[in-house]
Amino acid sequence: MAREMIKVMLGLTGLAFGLAACAGGGDDASAAGRPRDGGMLRIVGSSDVEHLDPTSAASVGAYGLVRTFARTLFGTRAANDLQETIPVRPDVAARIPTRENGDVSKDHRVYTVTLRDGVRWNTKPPRPVTAHDFVRGFERLCNPASPSAGKGYFISTLRGMDEFCRGFGTVNPRDAAAMAAYQRDHDIEGVRAENDTTLVFALKRPASDFLHLLSLPSTAAAPQEYDRYIPDGPEFRRHTISNGPYQITDYRPGLSYLLTRNPAWRPDGDPLRERHVEKIRITLGQDSPETVQQQIEQGVADLAWDQPVPTSAIPGLRDDPRFAIMETPNNSPYLVFNTRSPNNGGALGRREVRQALEYAIDRSALVKIVGGPSVARPLHTVIPPGNSGYAPADHYPTPAESGNSTKCRQLLGRTGHPSLTLKFPYRTNSVHKLIAQSIAENLDSCGVKTVLTADSSGSFYADTIATPAKARAGEWDIAAPGWTPDWYGNNGRSIIQPLFDGRGYGQNSTNYGGYNNPQVNALIDAALTAPDPSRAAVHWQRADQKIMQDAAIVPLLNRSHTLYRSARVHGTHFLPTTAGYDYTRLWLD
């Protein structure tokens, strides 16, 4: 046990080295002069966000966008040193609750949060953000139209959340009035507005990461106007309301966003954000990283939206102060198996079949595709280095990380499924097509055929792999999503629980393959009830080991983010959970 504890704790101490800024990633106001206000920040990329509604936002791109217009009780501050991004800080909350200041009960099960003054919605006229708006935000987590992928965090933490969600699930998801009525007529026992400025949370049991949960974008305040619309539906997306520094004034689905200054926002009421540029324009539809890079170098654009720096350009940018390699320990991408697929006689539901396919993948080729060893490292565990519960392991080793097609064929032959045909949807932006093609070649060497399908509509997550009906219908068999933890530090539950807790499987679930193992679920519960983070980390590591024994996924890469900015962009502060710079702190020459 002692040796295991030491190995697990290495994952925690590794956080100290989790973020590196190379060749200009640390640009800030002191290096480039005082911030200047004005101008338009021009961002260019490929796909729209799957979810614009903060309640159901789940991607790093959505996190970065939502940060500009939707505020939470707590949050983190962007920085070019990971350690500075880890601490939870007040956002709309006036202070951090502690036992010492009386905001946390002696048994650590009741949290009282007081809101700060001066936070307002951009309504006409502007009105204060209230505790009732935050209660509404929590109620919307379980809406049946577009439920939050993170609702499991709160079902396992807040009193009465499970019952509230189960009841909400019976409401017609196409009836906005019915959903609003359910929220009005039902309460969550563990979330209460004592008055307009005070919230009280009641927990099932102590949770050392509870303030991290209250910093997730899905817990943002929701104005009363949102009750008029289907959550995350077309009408909602045309009527977002802001309490942040920017507001969405023009949105053309799949084409563009225009953000302008929110006149109701005040800098003295926001400790995490700033506001310098006058406008932010995000132009979508450009799938080529090379074209995006060219536009930035030519000064036509300022930042990439969802494209890394092209692999071919990286060697020539090493000494360019506008180029940065930022490490955010992650599992991106990984190969997930649809365990619910009926295709191939339900073969992917069998552990032995998945274990055979683990040996097929050439990770060394994937490292080259994304930019080499300075950008990515092979990954063999569910939990990447630098995250709580990480312990080195390789359950399916292959020579020089290059795969072992012979062993894959042999093991498949023993399963009675020597020939498979797998449906493989892939994203078209960034290098995802090249990654999918490389994996397909590896599987072909193993005797497995793949049917590659390009998903250029930006619906890869929301409409394809996060839709259980499509999984059960066999519309896909394997896919290569990515996962960046929702927070760093005490973050064990931010990887294992959302990706592998079978009890939360449903629409918008990030347990894309429908994996469900009662032993893993029990380890999740044991971690969540552990008396301290170090003991919880042992349970997370054991869950990781069991998941890999079951071959629920094939971890592929722990991949850094490459960024490039135009010469006129300054104030670059990195936010790991968004895989990009904090737009609210950028300024232009």
Side-chain angles (χ1 to χ4, degrees):
M1 176 66 74
R3 288 175 62 83
E4 184 177 20
M5 179 71 78
I6 291 171
K7 287 167 63 180
V8 172
M9 289 305 292
L10 285 173
L12 296 172
T13 56
L15 281 165
F17 308 100
L19 178 62
C22 304
D27 172 77
D28 57 26
S30 62
R34 293 180 60 83
R36 299 184 180 92
D37 290 348
M40 179 183 289
L41 178 68
R42 303 159 302 176
I43 303 172
V44 178
S46 175
S47 302
D48 205 341
V49 296
E50 290 86 358
H51 301 288
L52 181 58
D53 189 335
T55 295
S56 45
S59 65
V60 290
Y63 275 25
L65 179 58
V66 164
R67 184 179 175 88
T68 67
F69 70 88
R71 296 177 59 184
T72 50
L73 291 169
F74 303 96
T76 57
R77 190 163 177 82
N80 294 316
D81 178 348
L82 181 61
Q83 293 303 304
E84 294 181 27
T85 71
I86 291 175
V88 175
R89 306 172 191 269
D91 188 350
V92 179
R95 65 182 183 181
I96 295 289
T98 65
R99 284 189 61 185
E100 290 70 25
N101 64 24
D103 291 345
V104 178
S105 64
K106 291 182 179 180
D107 64 1
H108 294 276
R109 296 188 182 206
V110 179
Y111 285 68
T112 301
V113 180
T114 302
L115 307 191
R116 69 174 66 245
D117 293 331
V119 182
R120 301 184 298 171
W121 296 113
N122 67 333
T123 50
K124 296 181 180 179
R127 66 172 189 270
V129 173
T130 70
H132 304 283
D133 295 326
F134 278 99
V135 171
R136 183 179 297 105
F138 276 88
E139 291 174 340
R140 296 179 81 249
L141 288 170
C142 297
N143 78 77
S146 185
S148 172
K151 68 178 183 180
Y153 291 144
F154 300 97
I155 288 173
S156 60
T157 305
L158 290 172
R159 293 176 61 178
M161 192 74 179
D162 191 17
E163 294 81 357
F164 181 89
C165 290
R166 279 192 276 111
F168 210 166
T170 65
V171 177
N172 184 352
R174 294 177 294 278
D175 189 336
M179 285 184 276
Y182 181 85
Q183 293 174 187
R184 183 178 61 251
D185 298 338
H186 298 79
D187 298 321
I188 303 171
E189 181 184 357
V191 185
R192 177 170 57 88
E194 193 168 272
N195 51 48
D196 283 351
T197 60
T198 308
L199 281 160
V200 178
F201 296 95
L203 280 58
K204 293 181 178 180
R205 61 186 70 89
S208 59
D209 58 1
F210 185 59
L211 295 186
H212 288 285
L213 300 185
L214 298 185
S215 69
L216 295 176
S218 57
T219 67
Q224 61 193 32
E225 286 84 356
Y226 283 2
D227 287 348
R228 302 172 185 171
Y229 314 115
I230 301 295
D232 204 39
E235 284 294 309
F236 173 93
R237 290 188 173 214
R238 288 195 292 269
H239 295 92
T240 53
I241 294 176
S242 173
N243 58 11
Y246 292 94
Q247 58 190 6
I248 299 175
T249 53
D250 184 53
Y251 170 49
R252 302 181 183 183
L255 298 175
S256 65
Y257 290 88
L258 177 65
L259 283 72
T260 59
R261 292 184 172 188
N262 171 12
W265 179 84
R266 295 290 181 269
D268 57 0
D270 193 334
L272 300 180
R273 301 164 191 78
E274 300 173 14
R275 186 176 66 191
H276 301 299
V277 302
E278 186 75 25
K279 299 178 181 179
I280 302 173
R281 178 172 291 282
I282 302 170
T283 303
L284 307 171
Q286 182 49 259
D287 289 339
S288 167
E290 290 77 14
T291 300
V292 171
Q293 179 70 15
Q294 184 179 46
Q295 290 183 11
I296 298 173
E297 291 183 359
Q298 294 174 346
V300 178
D302 297 307
L303 290 176
W305 166 243
D306 56 356
Q307 307 278 30
V309 175
T311 301
S312 60
I314 292 175
L317 297 174
R318 296 292 183 183
D319 298 323
D320 192 323
R322 294 172 290 174
F323 173 67
I325 300 176
M326 311 300 287
E327 290 196 32
T328 56
N330 60 59
N331 198 336
S332 294
Y334 64 91
L335 190 68
V336 62
F337 297 109
N338 176 8
T339 65
R340 309 291 176 105
S341 174
N343 302 331
N344 305 287
L348 292 184
R350 296 184 57 191
R351 180 173 67 172
E352 295 80 7
V353 172
R354 301 192 302 268
Q355 288 174 330
L357 298 178
E358 292 273 353
Y359 289 98
I361 308 304
D362 182 352
R363 291 177 176 82
S364 66
L366 300 180
V367 169
K368 293 176 183 177
I369 287 173
V370 301
S374 65
V375 175
R377 291 151 297 284
L379 185 64
H380 302 280
T381 55
V382 171
I383 301 173
N387 290 276
S388 177
Y390 169 74
D394 188 354
H395 296 271
Y396 310 96
T398 65
E401 302 286 359
S402 59
N404 187 334
S405 59
T406 300
K407 187 165 187 175
C408 175
R409 282 178 177 270
Q410 290 174 344
L411 293 178
L412 268 185
R414 296 174 190 171
T415 68
H417 294 278
S419 60
L420 302 171
T421 299
L422 303 179
K423 297 178 181 179
F424 189 176
Y426 65 89
R427 292 169 283 174
T428 56
N429 65 311
S430 183
V431 291
H432 296 301
K433 180 179 180 179
L434 296 176
I435 289 172
Q437 290 173 335
S438 180
I439 293 172
E441 290 175 5
N442 298 159
L443 292 172
D444 182 68
S445 297
C446 188
V448 176
K449 296 180 181 179
T450 56
V451 179
L452 290 168
T453 305
D455 186 341
S456 59
S457 64
S459 61
F460 173 76
Y461 287 104
D463 293 336
T464 303
I465 64 173
T467 301
K470 292 188 176 181
R472 290 190 293 267
E475 293 192 23
W476 67 278
D477 294 300
I478 57 174
W483 186 259
T484 297
D486 284 323
W487 67 90
Y488 290 94
N490 179 19
N491 73 340
R493 85 156 87 197
S494 74
I495 300 172
I496 298 293
Q497 186 177 24
L499 295 185
F500 302 104
D501 190 334
R503 296 164 295 187
Y505 184 63
Q507 186 64 37
N508 288 356
S509 169
T510 48
N511 179 3
Y512 304 117
Y515 172 77
N516 186 25
N517 185 320
Q519 291 177 291
V520 171
N521 297 343
L523 286 167
I524 291 172
D525 291 342
L528 295 178
T529 56
D532 57 67
S534 62
R535 296 189 191 184
V538 174
H539 297 298
W540 295 128
Q541 193 275 324
R542 288 176 175 167
D544 186 322
Q545 186 177 49
K546 182 59 181 172
I547 293 163
M548 287 309 305
Q549 289 171 352
D550 285 346
I553 67 168
V554 183
L556 299 175
L557 300 176
N558 177 18
R559 182 179 170 193
S560 301
H561 293 280
T562 54
L563 300 99
Y564 190 78
R565 57 185 172 85
S566 74
R568 70 185 195 133
V569 173
H570 301 284
T572 50
H573 297 82
F574 191 71
L575 199 62
T577 53
T578 71
Y581 296 129
D582 184 347
Y583 301 140
T584 74
R585 299 181 68 186
L586 298 174
W587 56 277
L588 308 171
D589 278 341

